[in-house]
């Protein structure tokens, strides 16, 4: 039966121009590099087609929308298709760190949660969530998050990079060459910091380390990088899941964004536990950004149509659904899991789609939705016409609101919801 591809495109009149990536085997070994990889600024760009363990659907290549999920038999309405419990890279926005449980993302309309871990500054809704988080993080995770928290808090209270928050979202996205050059230019400082950490350091290398620590911190970017490095270190299987996702070769939405990542890299090189240093590399961080960009799900409040955007995360197994504005699959977050349920009866061979939109976007007109789904308004850009996922980046959303492009939505409580 012929697959029904791009239902939304027709509904919205979108002119999507998404290139098809051929599935190829994974080429990125998970093991730590033998030596610091500061001169490697490449990312792994291959994807493979996973085989889900279900008789309900299969993932297949489509002519013009990459891989997609197709029903392999008739499925009744309200059938649970899959449960994604493989949260890997994720960020809980700093502004919400006292209000959202770091384990199950419970949120009670802005109430500060009762249990706080003093070294990481994370809060929990219950002792069991706290214990579960600690067990999953392990000693190395606690050490890494403690080090990041110290950096974010700074000696004189909270540090914020003003430029980062205020950047114009319409600035051009860095090209792949810009990205390679930025990471390359961080490499000599990185080498010095590594030498200083190894204790074989003349004064100049110790200075490099001190300089990295004096730079302004962007806590949410730092958290993204810590999370990525920990996934790469602790969960080879989940990291492979990340590698399997469709990459965005231009994941940084501005030069300020790119600089925040290279700076976070140097800062983390200066403070993370020794064991994590072999994976604290441009390759890890570029790979993480490139996969996160089109594959993250927003983590939102469960009430008020998800008006509170707490953060975002990658659930590798959930990232093969394409977007439709008339989806036949609905998604529900239950704690750290996503559940996908068929909304109406589907026939064998039908494409199973979710909506990438949420909150206010669901009630937007087609023009507004089309704008939200476009990666770029520049037809020359490879992002042009590409549907973008939720967060696409919380960083961008925060800036959009701070620039007042959504009048009345200023302030972090009113970040415009995207999914
Ligand atoms: C989360 S991934 C979905 C799975 C993806 N197609 C793959 O091959 O892995 C999101 C990406 O899929 C593509 N996509 C999703 N929905 C689409 C649609 N309705 N039409 C065309 N491309 C779509 C876009 O490239 C988007 O960036």
């Amino acid at each position: 039966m012929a697959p029904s591809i791009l239902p939304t495109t027709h509904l919205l009149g979108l002119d999507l121009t998404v290139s098809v990536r051929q599935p190829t085997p994974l080429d990125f070994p998970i093991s730590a590099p033998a030596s610091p990889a500061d001169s490697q600024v490449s990312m792994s760009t291959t994807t493979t087609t996973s085989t889900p363990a279900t008789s309900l659907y299969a993932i297949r290549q489509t002519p013009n929308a990459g891989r997609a999920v197709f029903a392999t038999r008739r499925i009744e309405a309200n059938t649970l298709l899959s449960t994604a419990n493989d949260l890997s890279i994720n960020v809980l926005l700093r502004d919400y760190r006292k209000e959202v449980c770091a384990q199950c993302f419970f949120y009670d309309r802005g109430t500060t949660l009762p249990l706080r871990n003093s070294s990481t500054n994370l809060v929990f809704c219950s002792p069991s969530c706290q214990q579960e988080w600690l067990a999953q993080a392990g000693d190395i995770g606690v050490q890494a998050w403690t080090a990041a928290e110290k950096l974010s808090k700074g000696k004189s209270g909270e540090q914020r990079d003003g430029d980062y928050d205020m950047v114009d979202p319409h600035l051009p996205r860095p090209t792949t060459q810009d990205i390679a050059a930025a990471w390359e230019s961080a490499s000599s400082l990185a080498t010095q910091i590594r030498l200083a950490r190894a204790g074989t350091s003349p004064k100049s290398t110790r200075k490099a380390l001190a300089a990295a620590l004096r730079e302004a911190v962007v806590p949410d970017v730092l958290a993204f990088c810590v999370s990525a490095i920990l996934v790469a270190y602790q969960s080879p299987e989940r990291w492979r899941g990340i590698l399997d996702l469709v990459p965005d070769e231009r994941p940084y939405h501005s030069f300020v964004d790119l600089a925040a990542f290279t700076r976070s890299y140097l800062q983390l090189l200066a403070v993370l536990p020794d064991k994590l240093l072999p994976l604290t590399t441009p390759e890890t961080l570029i790979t993480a950004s490139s996969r996160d960009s089109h594959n993250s799900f927003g983590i939102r409040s469960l009430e008020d149509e998800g008006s509170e955007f707490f953060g975002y995360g990658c659930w590798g197994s959930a990232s093969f659904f394409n977007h439709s504005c008339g989806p036949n699959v609905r998604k529900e977050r239950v704690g750290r899991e996503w559940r996908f349920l068929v909304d109406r009866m589907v026939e064998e061979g039908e494409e199973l789609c979710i909506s990438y939109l949420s909150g206010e976007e669901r009630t937007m007109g087609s023009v507004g939705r089309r704008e939200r789904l476009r990666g770029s308004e520049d037809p020359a850009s490879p992002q042009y016409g590409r549907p973008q996922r939720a967060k696409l980046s919380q960083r961008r959303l925060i800036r959009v609101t701070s620039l007042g492009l959504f009048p009345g939505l200023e302030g972090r409580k009113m970040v415009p919801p995207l999914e």
Side-chain angles (χ1 to χ4, degrees), residues 6 8-9 16 18 64-67 246 294-295 319-323 356 386-387 389:
L6 304 183
T8 54
T9 311
L16 300 173
V18 183
N64 52 7
R67 294 163 297 183
V246 68
H294 284 253
N295 296 289
S319 279
F320 296 101
F321 290 104
N322 278 342
H323 166 81
Y356 291 180
R386 293 186 73 161
R389 294 300 288 278

Side-chain angles (χ1 to χ4, degrees), residues 5-9 14 16-19 21 47-49 59-62 64-69 244-248 291 293-297 318-325 351 353-354 356 373 383 385-389:
I5 302 161
L6 304 183
T8 54
T9 311
L14 290 177
L16 300 173
T17 53
V18 183
S19 62
R21 291 170 199 282
T47 58
T48 185
T49 301
I59 295 164
R60 297 189 193 129
Q61 196 69 22
T62 67
N64 52 7
R67 294 163 297 183
V69 181
D244 200 13
L245 304 177
V246 68
D248 174 359
R291 298 319 199 273
S293 178
H294 284 253
N295 296 289
S296 285
F297 285 74
S319 279
F320 296 101
F321 290 104
N322 278 342
H323 166 81
S324 168
C325 287
E351 181 174 351
C353 289
I354 58 173
Y356 291 180
L373 287 165
Q383 303 302 316
R386 293 186 73 161
Q388 304 241 337
R389 294 300 288 278

